[in-house]
Amino acid sequence: MADTDLMTTPGPIDPVPTPRDITPRADGRVDLIGLPKARIAELFEAAGLDAKAAKLRSKQVFHWLYHRGVTEFDAMTDIAKTMRPWLTERFVIGRPEVVEAHHSTDGTRKWVLRTSDGNDFEMVFIPDADRGTLCISSQVGCTLNCRFCHTGTMRLVRNLTPGEIVGQVMLARDSLGEWPKGSMAGLEDVEDSSEYTSDGRLLTNIVLMGMGEPLYNFDNVRDAMKLVMDGDGLALSKRRITLSTSGVVPMMERCGEEIGVNLAVSLHAVRKDIRDEIVPLNKKYGIEDLLQACADYPGASNARRITFEYIMLKDKNDSDEDARELVRLLRQYDLPAKVNLIPFNPWPGSDYETSTPERIRAFSDIVFEGGISAPVRTPRGRDIGAACGQLKTAAEKKSRAQRDREAAEAAEEKSPA
């Protein structure tokens, strides 16, 4: 570290407030994951570097964080050894804590993750022959109460920070070995950052279809996705990112303008009474308003079609009449669309049954005949509770049981012998 890097000799560290974009930590250090270069430079300057040094160090650190995937400042070999302890004392490179990791028989992987304040959420990786899709969460819990969705039975705890959202992508790349070779050791020997070591299930796509409604955490989701798309960072194209919404109509245009990713809409019914029942948000933003917002979505085209998710519920929304009405509505609004038909994934206590394969095929055929692609999604990860609508596992019960047990053990320790 050059002598001019620090304005003064570092003294005691003052408590750092935790604004929206910073993941809170009990130790007072600032987690840099989720922050862009300009914000990192601002924090470095506030911590004592002069403006020129802060800008230089932020550029170096940003590269190591998002391009190399390092988790320790000591691995940043182009930063002076005397500077690294200064960084370690004030900042941290975070990742969500892995509470559980599950592997499905079909190759799907699910992680139960924990925030620094003790809340659990989930992410899922789905490998295919031509792609690897990471399904990430935007909130702990959900407010929407969709009747077919297990996540909807949870209460909303809080929004995830940009760092906790990006951290899921970072953690998946850690697990898949997809950082440049030697990124965790011997980095000074790495010349070609395009060389990656992976287990064959490359992370090529991201879908915001995990826990929560992304458009109810818009600012944090936007900031996180900008880092994912940053050419100097994770550098994933916006065409490989899909945001799924249940229909928060006022935020959809902003999503297209400020994030610009692909849009998926949880439609699930074409009649008001049925959609009111299974997607209660429909009572606030009806089908017509939702489809108009889709028609107005910036960037939507035949090359970038809007995906409509449609859960197949036996004797509820799966009739021939429903299929024909779906075609009529999409044609009425002249939408560049495809429809994903999703067999309902049962969970304990659910009120619905899955449509029969024959009924799903008949529904699909009618939509295809109407000139709209309607593939049937193959359920993945059912055996580990990772399929669509299943992202509420025993983790919630387990965490409560663990808390109860820990409280009992603590009380026992305090009680007189």
Side-chain angles (χ1 to χ4, degrees):
M1 178 180 67
D3 292 340
T4 56
D5 274 358
L6 292 178
M7 295 173 62
T8 59
T9 302
I13 302 171
D14 294 328
V16 178
T18 52
R20 171 192 63 80
D21 60 344
I22 294 178
T23 301
R25 289 181 56 87
D27 63 8
R29 293 188 294 169
V30 175
D31 190 344
L32 296 180
I33 294 298
L35 304 178
K37 281 194 288 283
R39 184 75 166 106
I40 294 173
E42 178 184 299
L43 291 168
F44 284 0
E45 189 171 354
L49 298 185
D50 64 41
K52 183 177 179 181
K55 184 177 180 179
L56 170 64
R57 296 308 184 196
S58 67
K59 183 177 180 180
Q60 291 172 313
V61 168
F62 186 90
H63 174 80
W64 287 104
L65 295 182
Y66 297 110
H67 191 72
R68 301 289 198 183
V70 304
T71 55
E72 299 292 340
F73 293 108
D74 281 342
M76 299 181 180
T77 53
D78 61 350
I79 293 178
K81 289 183 179 180
T82 52
M83 181 69 179
R84 297 177 211 166
W86 184 88
L87 290 167
T88 301
E89 189 178 6
R90 289 158 176 77
F91 304 99
V92 68
I93 305 167
R95 293 287 194 274
E97 175 190 353
V98 178
V99 180
E100 298 175 17
H102 303 273
H103 291 246
S104 169
T105 55
D106 64 22
T108 300
R109 301 172 67 171
K110 181 177 80 169
W111 292 267
V112 179
L113 307 176
R114 183 164 294 163
T115 64
S116 59
D117 56 353
N119 294 300
D120 292 352
F121 62 102
E122 299 182 359
M123 73 173 184
V124 174
F125 179 72
I126 306 167
D128 285 301
D130 61 341
R131 69 178 62 192
T133 301
L134 184 69
C135 177
I136 63 176
S137 295
S138 56
Q139 296 178 309
V140 180
C142 191
T143 60
L144 296 181
N145 301 313
C146 295
R147 291 279 301 278
F148 61 87
C149 180
H150 205 188
T151 310
T153 65
M154 298 177 65
R155 66 185 179 90
L156 177 66
V157 178
R158 67 169 174 85
N159 290 332
L160 293 176
T161 66
E164 290 163 340
I165 297 169
V166 174
Q168 295 170 69
V169 184
M170 311 285 280
L171 184 61
R173 295 194 72 175
D174 292 347
S175 299
L176 297 172
E178 288 193 4
W179 297 109
K181 285 183 178 179
S183 61
M184 306 311 287
L187 282 164
E188 62 277 7
D189 298 326
V190 178
E191 297 294 338
D192 183 3
S193 62
S194 67
E195 293 185 23
Y196 292 86
T197 303
S198 97
D199 63 359
R201 295 174 291 188
L202 300 176
L203 197 170
T204 61
N205 294 68
I206 291 174
V207 292
L208 284 144
M209 295 183 182
M211 290 181 170
E213 165 55 63
L215 296 187
Y216 278 152
N217 187 18
F218 180 81
D219 289 348
N220 290 353
V221 166
R222 176 200 58 208
D223 293 353
M225 290 304 101
K226 284 185 176 180
L227 289 171
V228 171
M229 295 183 287
D230 192 311
D232 294 328
L234 293 168
L236 193 67
S237 167
K238 65 182 180 181
R239 295 179 180 273
R240 292 188 173 271
I241 302 172
T242 299
L243 182 147
S244 177
T245 178
S246 290
V248 185
V249 168
M251 300 302 297
M252 290 170 61
E253 184 175 3
R254 281 190 67 192
C255 177
E257 291 176 345
E258 298 181 33
I259 309 177
V261 296
N262 301 318
L263 184 69
V265 174
S266 296
L267 186 60
H268 304 311
V270 293
R271 289 167 37 198
K272 174 175 168 49
D273 58 333
I274 300 301
R275 195 164 192 268
D276 281 354
E277 174 189 334
I278 64 178
V279 185
L281 186 64
N282 194 67
K283 298 173 184 177
K284 188 171 186 180
Y285 307 116
I287 294 173
E288 292 77 13
D289 290 338
L290 174 57
L291 294 179
Q292 186 59 57
C294 291
D296 296 336
Y297 187 72
S301 65
N302 287 329
R304 295 187 67 196
R305 294 176 294 175
I306 293 174
T307 299
F308 289 91
E309 310 284 353
Y310 198 98
I311 199 85
M312 298 300 295
L313 303 173
K314 183 179 179 181
D315 300 329
K316 179 63 66 172
N317 65 350
D318 62 351
S319 69
D320 288 354
E321 291 75 16
D322 289 319
R324 295 189 187 100
E325 177 64 6
L326 176 58
V327 171
R328 188 193 70 79
L329 284 170
L330 297 183
R331 282 176 170 271
Q332 176 186 337
Y333 287 88
D334 194 25
L335 287 165
K338 78 169 184 176
V339 179
N340 271 346
L341 301 179
I342 307 169
F344 173 62
N345 295 302
W347 43 270
S350 60
D351 297 327
Y352 304 107
E353 297 180 42
T354 309
S355 303
T356 66
E358 295 76 19
R359 179 91 296 272
I360 296 174
R361 178 51 55 195
F363 193 104
S364 175
D365 288 344
I366 291 172
V367 180
F368 267 114
E369 289 166 6
I372 299 167
S373 177
V376 179
R377 183 186 294 176
T378 302
R380 300 289 297 274
R382 274 183 170 177
D383 57 325
I384 58 171
C388 181
Q390 287 188 320
L391 291 193
K392 177 189 176 184
T393 65
E396 187 180 49
K397 291 182 180 178
K398 182 176 292 187
S399 63
R400 288 176 179 171
Q402 287 171 342
R403 286 196 292 269
D404 290 344
R405 184 167 60 251
E406 289 167 0
E409 290 173 353
E412 186 176 345
E413 289 177 2
K414 290 181 180 180
S415 63

